[in-house]
Amino acid sequence: MSVATPQSAPSIRHLVGKFVVVVGGSSGVGYCVARVALEYGAKVLISSSNQTKVDAAVSRLLKTNPLFDGSISGLTVNAKDVKSIESFWDKVGKFDHLVWTAGDSVRPDFMQQDIETQKAFFDVRFWAPVISAKYAQEKGLFNPGASMTMSTGVVNRHPMKGFAIGAAVSGAIDSVTRGLAVELAPVRVNTVSMGGVETELWDGLIPDIHMKEATKKFLIEHSLVKHLAQPEEIAEAYLFVMKCTNVTGQTIEVEGGALLT
Ligand SMILES: NC(=O)c1ccc[n+]([C@@H]2O[C@H](COP(=O)([O-])OP(=O)(O)OC[C@H]3O[C@@H](n4cnc5c(N)ncnc54)[C@H](OP(=O)(O)O)[C@@H]3O)[C@@H](O)[C@H]2O)c1
């Protein structure tokens, strides 16, 4: 399997030699973004809070394609901790594209959980990329032509019962996308919004196997594409916003028509 080089066709060499940081790259959608960015010739740093998971993701990628050797690295960050985030960026230094897919498990039980727990739902998905953006801008870490892409879900527009704060977090990410696009310009800032996607996130969210199967069936029935979204499909949207130098302040919805059913 090949990877893009400076000699590749113009449409597939946008990321050759670019440094792409994927926070949340140890699993799910972020892992797939990392793999495709490597195929497009980028140097990729994978990050998440767990060293074992970061190391496993790096090894898995190297097994996928030996040509990735020398282009992948891994570094941990605890996105719940401001000092850890700042120290992470001090170690990373200048970069071309930030992809933020990190997210912890958010249980959809608004009435059962105390509000302090639910306030913390904003930490990893909303505050951590916002803190990162501000810090990277202050320290001059965005290279010319840089972009950042965050992640959210359609729960913002179609909340399910129990997920009031999940919807609030999703909406906040959508809004701050436009705010940061104006604030950081010419750095481009976008967000990818997804419906249900079959990833490791579900292991924490829906541990019961029967419940998981019922969720899959529900999602397929309530889609127009009539299949369950896979992380590889969602990764395409992140690659699009990284490569297209004229898109900023946008939330791209990749939800298989779920909002139209
Ligand atoms: N999958 C879906 O159905 C779905 C639907 C709508 C929206 N989304 C959103 O899309 C994003 C990506 O989802 P996904 O399905 O790819 O999730 P995933 O497979 O669970 O990946 C989440 C990543 O975040 C990292 N992470 C969690 N807590 C962290 C912390 N404190 N500091 C740093 N990294 C942390 C995880 O690694 P560690 O455990 O090693 O930290 C992992 O790499 C998430 O924001 C999610 O909420 C997903």
Side-chain angles (χ1 to χ4, degrees), residues 22-31 46-54 76-81 100-106 124-125 128 151-155 163 170 173 192-203 205 219 229 231 234 238:
V22 186
V23 182
S26 69
S27 77
V29 174
Y31 175 85
I46 283 180
S47 179
S48 77
S49 68
N50 182 313
Q51 185 73 56
T52 310
K53 278 174 71 175
V54 170
T76 56
V77 62
N78 178 7
K80 282 181 164 295
D81 179 79
W100 194 283
T101 59
D104 45 1
S105 214
V106 172
V124 177
R125 290 173 177 76
S151 307
T152 190
V154 295
V155 68
F163 222 61
S170 295
I173 297 165
V192 174
S193 175
M194 60 200 93
V197 187
E198 189 176 19
T199 70
E200 294 88 327
L201 184 76
W202 289 14
D203 298 339
L205 205 60
L219 288 171
I234 315 302
Y238 292 82

Side-chain angles (χ1 to χ4, degrees), residues 53-73:
K53 278 174 71 175
V54 170
D55 292 344
V58 169
S59 312
R60 206 171 129 207
L61 282 165
L62 283 171
K63 276 196 198 127
T64 310
N65 187 339
L67 293 176
F68 294 163
D69 195 15
S71 297
I72 320 177
S73 53

